[in-house]
C-alpha cells in the first residue's frame, strides 16, 4: 500500500505494520486529569477524536495490528523517578488523588483510554512509565515477534510522548509515519514544529500524512 505523505510517499504492507495510538487517556484528554493539573486547556485535544476514531475503525476493518499505549505508573510509584514526579508546579502530582482517581497510576479511572478509542479484544495495550513507548515496555520485542517493520502513529501529545516514541522507533529501525490530524498538543505551535521536525531533511525521523490519505490507501485495496 502507498500513502500520499510528506516528504514523499510512504509504502507499507498491512501485515508488517501497526497503528500505534499514544496515550489517548482520560488523564490527558479530560478535565480533572494530569493534563489539566499542569495548567493546560485539555479541550484542545478533543479535536482529533473523530478523525482518530475513523482511522482506527478503518485500520481494524482492514485487519491491521493496533497498539494502544497508556502513560501509567505502578501504585507504589517505584517506576516514577523524582526527576519526573517533581517537575513543574502542578496542582496535583503523579500519584496524588484527583477527580478521576490517582493521577497517571495504572488501573485508575483517569488512566483508561477514552471510550471512543477503547481497545477491543486482540489489540495490544502497553503501559509505559516513560514518555517513549519503547522505554521499559518490551514493545520492540513484541513487534519483532510479529514481523512488524512499519508504524503509523497518532495520539497525544505530539511533541512529548508521540515524538519521543517516533524517535525511539526510528532508532530501532521502524519506518514511521505520523497521522497529522490524529495527533494533538496543548500548544499548537509545538505540534506544527514537531510535524516539521519529523519530516524535515528527507524525513529524518519519518513521514507525516493526513488520515484521509491513510483511508484512501486502505480503500484502494478493499
Ligand atoms: C505528557 C504525553 N505530555 N503523553 N505525556 O506528559 O505526552
Amino acid at each position: 500500500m502507498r500513502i500520499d505523505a510528506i516528504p514523499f510517499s510512504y509504502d507499507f504492507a498491512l501485515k508488517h505494520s501497526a497503528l500505534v495510538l499514544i496515550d489517548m487517556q482520560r488523564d490527558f484528554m479530560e478535565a480533572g486529569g494530569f493534563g489539566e493539573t499542569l495548567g493546560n486547556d485539555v479541550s484542545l485535544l478533543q479535536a482529533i477524536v473523530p478523525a482518530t476514531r475513523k482511522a482506527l475503525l478503518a485500520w481494524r476493518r482492514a485487519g491491521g495490528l493496533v497498539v494502544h499505549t497508556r502513560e501509567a505508573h505502578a501504585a507504589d510509584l517505584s517506576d516514577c523517578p523524582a526527576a519526573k514526579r517533581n517537575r513543574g508546579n502542578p496542582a496535583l502530582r503523579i500519584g496524588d488523588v484527583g477527580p478521576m482517581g490517582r493521577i497517571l497510576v495504572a488501573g485508575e479511572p483517569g488512566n483508561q483510554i477514552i471510550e471512543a478509542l477503547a481497545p477491543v479484544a486482540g489489540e495490544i495495550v502497553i503501559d509505559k512509565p516513560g514518555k517513549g513507548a519503547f522505554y521499559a515496555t518490551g514493545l520492540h520485542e513484541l513487534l519483532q515477534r510479529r514481523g512488524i517493520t512499519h508504524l503509523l502513529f497518532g495520539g497525544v501529545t505530539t511533541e512529548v510522548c508521540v515524538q519521543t516514541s517516533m524517535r525511539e522507533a526510528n532508532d530501532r529501525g521502524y519506518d514511521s509515519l505520523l497521522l497529522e490530524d490524529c495527533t494533538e498538543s496543548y500548544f499548537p505551535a509545538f505540534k506544527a514544529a514537531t510535524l516539521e521536525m519529523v519530516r524535515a531533511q528527507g524525513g529524518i525521523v519519518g513521514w507525516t500524512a493526513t488520515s484521509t490519505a491513510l483511508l484512501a490507501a486502505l480503500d484502494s485495496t478493499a
Side-chain angles (χ1 to χ4, degrees), residues 22-23 25 28 34 38 40 71 84 104 128 130-131 156-162 186:
I22 301 287
D23 301 356
Q25 299 162 243
F28 294 108
F34 186 55
L38 291 167
N40 298 304
E71 189 166 339
K84 180 173 186 183
L104 285 195
K128 62 182 190 49
K131 296 179 175 65
V156 297
T157 60
T158 315
E159 78 282 8
V160 185
C161 291
V162 176
Y186 301 119

Side-chain angles (χ1 to χ4, degrees), residues 50-78:
T52 308
R53 180 171 160 81
K54 215 167 157 184
L56 172 62
L57 295 181
W59 188 263
R60 268 183 195 151
R61 261 196 314 275
L65 179 67
V66 181
V67 177
H68 303 262
T69 70
R70 297 183 292 216
E71 189 166 339
H73 292 281
D76 64 2
L77 302 187
S78 54

